Amino acid sequence: GKKIYGTCLTVYEEYFPAGLNNPYNRRHKVHEMFPEKIEVTIDHDGNEEIPPLYIPRVLCILSTWPYLYAFREYLAQLYRLSTSTTLMEVPLERFVQNICLEIPAPPPGAFEIELSILKSQIKFWAPPAKMPIPYVSIPYSTLFECLDLDSVMIVWYALLNEQKVLLVSSQYSILTMCAETLLSLLFPLQWSHLYIPLLPRFLSPMLDAPIPYLVGVIRENWVIAEKNLSAETIVVDLDSNDVVFGSNAPKLVSPPVKKWTKLKATLQESVGDTFWRIRGLERESYLFKKGRILDHHIQRIYEEKGGAEWKERLYGYDDAFSMAYTPDSPNLKIDESSNGEQQSSWEQVQEAFLRFFVSTFRDYRKFLHVPDSAHSEDETNSDCHTFFNKDMRSFDRDGFVAWQKGENQDFFQEITMTQQFDDFITKRLYSPGEPDVIFFDQSIDSKLNRSKLRMKKVDTPFLLNAKAHKVLKTVLAVAPNTDGIEPGKTYRYESWPDEFDPNLFGVPRPIPKMITAEFDRQSGLVARLRSTLANEQVNLFGGDYDSSPEVATFTIFFFTYGALVGLDLEEFEERQYSQETYFESKELGYGPIEEKLSEEGDKSNLMTVT
């Protein structure tokens, strides 16, 4: 399936009722259908000022690109610019047109688009087409701030084994960021099961589904989610760094010790202190690793000191407008000046997990059967393929497992039976020209080239060219169009408008020529790859992002409408039925029917769940 990312900004604006005859200004019966006639009264006399009422308004950007932080910052600054300043020289409609139609998604690996709004510099960029690993548009730091290194590796390994994983947090933004980061670390594999980073309350019964899943639940819905939770689920509390295995959760096979140890050591060196640093315990962590602090002591220090600092920081993740810490806050002592410099550390994290898979699957091509003489010798001449039909493309799973060391065969047996691995092999057999396939295969070649036992080295131009694309050229985004706008006029909104004025939208300006030229250049690259890589269809621009915005918007609207309005309508009809049944029983002279209504309600709920 395809992913649509939604970035939302929730603001609370004062509600101004239209006229005097409204629920806020008069005595109002909320549930008139019930005999109890529940009422809500706002007490005030005519001379007193009515207290203000604030209701939530949600602004949302939908995109096929995971620019989570960038869109969040843009929405926050746009709302601040339009409602709190007199600096806006064009109407809101021109800003909406600008971000949707005039600022292009940057070509993969060539440019980064820099957008200025108020004092914020927001950058949008796409990963190089030839280096298909998820990039910094996903904030890797969030996962490693919430979980320590051991917990991150356990959860990642559970997903690698296609287990049921439930993420829990009090912050909406944390759930999506951590879920996306975990899935990105599975490259070259791709999660192909149920994935809902923010599970709506009414879909909680899905947590008992007999399939693997990665699901996120906000803490306020945890009580309901827990009732539907499968006993096989691994629950990950992102707020408290707890990983709890369900009573029937399958036991995970042990990973290859050498590869696992090397992966952990690399992560420890690059980002191992992130979890402790964000809690102000960097020094204690260093002493613990040196053996100067015992296990139970470091746990006590974490609970007494780090817990309070983390809680204060945690509750600010969902805030669009960051507030300053109080003068006595211990978080003031935490140095965040090096956050920008740590970008290279997150690249090391990506590469560390990539090297794990390169080392793990480095011999898989020996067990591919591809009936095409143009493919490499190690794909066609292996003795283990003699019993295959020569006209079929296949993979010798048993041979691949038997090839491994005895102590690692249980691990390979489990991994090769997953849907993720099967999809990876299928793609390799039938779409060898896909960029991620080429990149991973040449990453294996690069590793084998470093071996002294390999006399004939294999060229990896695709891989080298991908690394060169890490240097991006910055292109400044065009400002909102001022054509037809009165010079010197400013726009300020008391609140966000309920609807936009079509007359204030201008004519979208064309995308800069240097951007379109880069798209044309990469289109030519696609054509050349088609002719040189097994004549396979190659999509360097990521087919997963080619969905219709109209269809995506309608789908999300319909899904939300059905979830909210549909349930309210169903509840209303049930109550109306209850009232009618109640009065019918009174007219016929029956006694209380509460028990019967309860039974009917239970049947209705069961039908709804089914």
Side-chain angles (χ1 to χ4, degrees), residues 183-348:
L183 293 190
S184 72
L185 297 177
L186 293 174
F187 179 83
L189 306 182
Q190 185 174 5
W191 185 258
S192 53
H193 301 283
L194 180 63
Y195 174 56
I196 310 177
L198 284 173
L199 183 72
R201 181 182 300 181
F202 75 97
L203 289 181
S204 295
M206 297 183 68
L207 295 176
D208 197 28
I211 57 174
Y213 57 69
L214 175 59
V215 171
V217 170
I218 197 70
R219 188 168 301 283
E220 64 187 36
N221 294 341
W222 167 244
V223 175
I224 298 176
E226 188 178 17
K227 297 178 181 178
N228 298 280
L229 196 62
S230 168
E232 299 177 349
T233 304
I234 301 172
V235 180
V236 183
D237 193 325
L238 297 171
D239 296 351
S240 59
N241 185 38
D242 288 329
V243 180
V244 180
F245 282 69
S247 57
N248 291 337
K251 183 179 180 181
L252 300 177
V253 297
S254 299
V257 176
K258 185 177 179 180
K259 296 179 177 61
W260 182 267
T261 303
K262 187 174 181 179
L263 172 62
K264 185 175 182 179
T266 303
L267 295 177
Q268 182 64 53
E269 181 180 356
S270 56
V271 295
D273 291 334
T274 301
F275 176 83
W276 301 99
R277 179 183 56 79
I278 208 67
R279 290 161 175 77
L281 299 175
E282 193 169 11
R283 179 175 178 274
E284 288 80 357
S285 172
Y286 173 79
L287 295 177
F288 174 68
K289 288 186 292 185
K290 293 294 184 180
R292 300 179 185 178
I293 298 181
L294 301 179
D295 289 355
H296 62 281
H297 287 161
I298 191 68
Q299 183 64 28
R300 179 174 54 82
I301 293 173
Y302 167 71
E303 294 174 355
E304 293 178 356
K305 181 182 176 183
E309 296 187 21
W310 168 243
K311 184 177 295 186
E312 181 182 19
R313 180 176 292 269
L314 173 68
Y315 292 150
Y317 269 97
D318 278 353
D319 292 341
F321 307 103
S322 301
M323 304 297 290
Y325 294 116
T326 58
D328 58 345
S329 172
N331 279 296
L332 288 175
K333 301 177 182 178
I334 299 177
D335 181 18
E336 296 184 348
S337 61
S338 61
N339 283 356
E341 300 174 2
Q342 284 192 342
Q343 183 52 52
S344 60
S345 298
W346 303 120
E347 292 178 0
Q348 293 174 17

Side-chain angles (χ1 to χ4, degrees), residues 430-435 526 530 533-539:
Y430 293 96
S431 301
E434 289 292 330
V526 172
R530 285 174 179 167
L533 297 172
N535 294 322
E536 296 289 342
Q537 177 71 23
V538 179
N539 183 4

Side-chain angles (χ1 to χ4, degrees), residues 65 105-112 125-131 435 462 465-466 468-473 513-530 537-542:
W65 297 95
F111 298 99
E112 62 178 6
W125 64 292
K130 298 179 180 180
M131 200 171 187
F462 201 87
N465 196 7
H469 274 72
K470 284 187 176 181
V471 180
L472 303 178
K473 182 176 180 179
K513 292 183 179 180
M514 62 186 308
I515 300 293
T516 57
E518 178 61 23
F519 275 112
D520 293 340
R521 187 189 70 81
Q522 294 202 24
S523 297
L525 176 62
V526 172
R528 291 196 297 272
L529 285 173
R530 285 174 179 167
Q537 177 71 23
V538 179
N539 183 4
L540 293 185
F541 303 108

Side-chain angles (χ1 to χ4, degrees), residues 511-577:
I511 296 175
K513 292 183 179 180
M514 62 186 308
I515 300 293
T516 57
E518 178 61 23
F519 275 112
D520 293 340
R521 187 189 70 81
Q522 294 202 24
S523 297
L525 176 62
V526 172
R528 291 196 297 272
L529 285 173
R530 285 174 179 167
S531 62
T532 57
L533 297 172
N535 294 322
E536 296 289 342
Q537 177 71 23
V538 179
N539 183 4
L540 293 185
F541 303 108
D544 289 345
Y545 302 119
D546 297 334
S547 60
S548 166
E550 292 80 6
V551 173
T553 303
F554 176 79
T555 301
I556 293 178
F557 169 78
F558 184 81
F559 188 77
T560 306
Y561 181 88
L564 300 178
V565 180
L567 288 180
D568 289 343
L569 180 60
E570 181 181 357
E571 183 179 356
F572 171 79
E573 292 175 346
E574 289 179 357
R575 290 178 178 174
Q576 189 175 35
Y577 171 76

Side-chain angles (χ1 to χ4, degrees), residues 2-164:
K2 302 178 184 297
K3 292 182 181 179
I4 299 294
Y5 298 91
T7 305
C8 299
L9 171 67
T10 303
V11 295
Y12 289 84
E13 297 183 335
E14 187 171 356
Y15 170 62
F16 297 97
L20 297 177
N21 189 24
N22 61 74
Y24 186 55
N25 287 342
R26 64 178 177 83
R27 186 181 181 90
H28 178 62
K29 297 178 181 178
V30 179
H31 298 295
E32 295 180 340
M33 66 182 67
F34 287 101
E36 299 91 311
K37 294 183 179 179
I38 302 174
E39 297 177 348
V40 172
T41 304
I42 299 177
D43 295 325
H44 67 277
D45 55 35
N47 298 325
E48 293 183 0
E49 183 179 348
I50 302 176
L53 174 66
Y54 293 89
I55 60 175
R57 183 187 296 272
V58 180
L59 315 180
C60 181
I61 292 181
L62 299 180
S63 176
T64 54
W65 297 95
Y67 296 127
L68 305 179
Y69 268 1
F71 285 142
R72 169 178 170 170
E73 179 70 9
Y74 181 82
L75 282 177
Q77 296 301 339
L78 180 59
Y79 184 82
R80 176 182 289 171
L81 175 66
S82 61
T83 61
S84 303
T85 74
T86 57
L87 303 176
M88 181 177 281
E89 298 178 350
V90 295
L92 271 173
E93 287 78 0
R94 295 296 176 94
F95 280 89
V96 174
Q97 176 180 276
N98 182 244
I99 189 70
C100 293
L101 300 176
E102 297 180 332
I103 300 179
F111 298 99
E112 62 178 6
I113 308 297
E114 183 175 301
L115 169 65
S116 298
I117 180 169
L118 284 181
K119 295 183 179 180
S120 293
Q121 307 298 322
I122 304 173
K123 294 184 179 181
F124 302 92
W125 64 292
K130 298 179 180 180
M131 200 171 187
I133 305 178
Y135 287 81
V136 295
S137 56
I138 300 175
Y140 274 68
S141 58
T142 303
L143 176 64
F144 289 85
E145 289 174 359
C146 294
L147 302 178
D148 62 22
L149 196 55
D150 289 334
S151 297
V152 170
M153 295 185 67
I154 289 173
V155 178
W156 167 78
Y157 190 61
L159 293 174
L160 179 59
N161 285 270
E162 295 188 338
Q163 300 299 310
K164 300 177 181 180

